Amino acid sequence: MHILIIEDDLDLGRALQKALKLEGFSSEWLRRAADAPRSFEGLHYACILLDLSLPDGDGQALLTRWRREGVAIPIIIMTARAALEERIAGLDGGADDFIVKPFATVELASRMRAVLRRYAQQSRQVWTIGDLELEPKSHLARLAGSPVDLSPREFQLMLELAREPGVVVSKSVLSERLEPLGEPVNFGAIDVHIFNLRGKIGGHRIRTVRGVGYMLVRC
């Protein structure tokens, strides 16, 4: 897979290319906003690693423009800006994930793989997890072929768990993803929605990992 890196720091850029190569990724490294592609037609990047603080512009502006123009490539923001409002602005602007400098390259590679798995799942019109089927675009759910009546919030929560079946999703991650405007949903509300979901699809399908979060089980 080919990765686009937009990062002005020489040491970090070199380290990223070396680490990605060890993880099996090829990469292209750019250091300025002006060098970023105006169009991605004919370009085949699996993911973009984007620094927010560039010498000739703001990475956030690039992100916003790309998403406005319909660029659907996964984008992970890399930045030293750790403030909550910065993370919210990035996620609201269309970023798929956010990692704060300094970071371990193994963590970045893990986040990349998770984002790529989610995109591969989203590209399918019907998500199938055992005898549970979800249609993200039409907001339909079926269990063993029969429709399941889910509220919009329940369906959204179901999708977040279904992106990576068998993987624990923390309550903090669910809290961030469940609110389109970036305002976290409190943990108590998540617990209530999980309780309701279990009543509709079967309690054995959603496992609680105490102190961490929830996991969708393949049945």
Side-chain angles (χ1 to χ4, degrees):
M1 291 185 179
H2 195 52
I3 309 300
L4 175 61
I5 305 168
I6 303 180
E7 165 62 59
D8 68 307
D9 185 276
L10 284 172
D11 291 336
L12 180 55
R14 290 180 182 129
L16 283 174
Q17 285 205 299
K18 183 177 180 180
L20 289 174
K21 185 175 181 179
L22 292 174
E23 293 287 342
F25 297 102
S26 61
S27 62
E28 178 182 352
W29 173 27
L30 306 176
R31 298 184 60 207
R32 301 187 309 152
D35 296 330
R38 295 294 303 176
S39 168
F40 287 87
E41 185 176 354
L43 302 177
H44 302 285
Y45 298 113
C47 183
I48 298 173
L49 305 179
L50 176 64
D51 183 19
L52 286 186
S53 301
L54 297 169
D56 62 335
D58 188 352
Q60 182 68 46
L62 282 177
L63 171 65
T64 301
R65 175 168 61 83
W66 288 336
R67 292 309 193 215
R68 187 175 59 243
E69 294 172 353
V71 175
I73 301 169
I75 298 175
I76 298 176
I77 287 176
M78 307 179 298
T79 182
R81 305 175 192 174
L84 175 62
E85 57 268 23
E86 296 289 351
R87 297 199 301 273
I88 289 174
L91 293 169
D92 286 350
D96 295 277
D97 204 349
F98 197 108
I99 191 165
V100 177
K101 301 174 184 177
F103 53 79
T105 52
V106 289
E107 179 188 0
L108 176 62
S110 177
R111 288 175 177 266
M112 286 171 56
R113 287 191 291 268
V115 166
L116 291 169
R117 284 196 299 269
R118 291 202 299 270
Y119 263 70
Q121 177 75 289
Q122 288 171 332
S123 67
R124 300 203 298 262
Q125 292 185 345
V126 179
W127 300 9
T128 302
I129 307 96
D131 58 356
L132 177 67
E133 293 183 340
L134 302 172
E135 295 185 21
K137 292 184 179 180
S138 56
H139 281 235
L140 295 177
R142 288 183 296 273
L143 183 60
S146 299
V148 181
D149 184 20
L150 301 180
S151 71
R153 182 65 82 194
E154 290 166 356
F155 189 85
Q156 190 180 12
L157 177 57
M158 190 76 254
L159 282 183
E160 294 303 331
L161 294 175
R163 292 184 194 281
E164 296 182 79
V167 175
V168 181
V169 185
S170 70
K171 288 186 179 181
S172 59
V173 168
L174 290 173
S175 176
E176 290 179 357
R177 292 180 183 172
L178 284 178
E179 180 49 63
L181 298 179
E183 298 172 3
V185 176
N186 67 61
F187 289 0
I190 292 174
D191 292 338
V192 171
H193 291 310
I194 290 289
F195 177 83
N196 293 335
L197 272 175
R198 282 174 167 152
K200 295 179 178 182
I201 69 170
H204 62 290
R205 296 176 188 275
I206 301 177
R207 182 178 302 166
T208 300
V209 179
R210 199 170 298 278
V212 183
Y214 298 101
M215 177 174 66
L216 183 64
V217 179
R218 293 182 182 274
C219 297

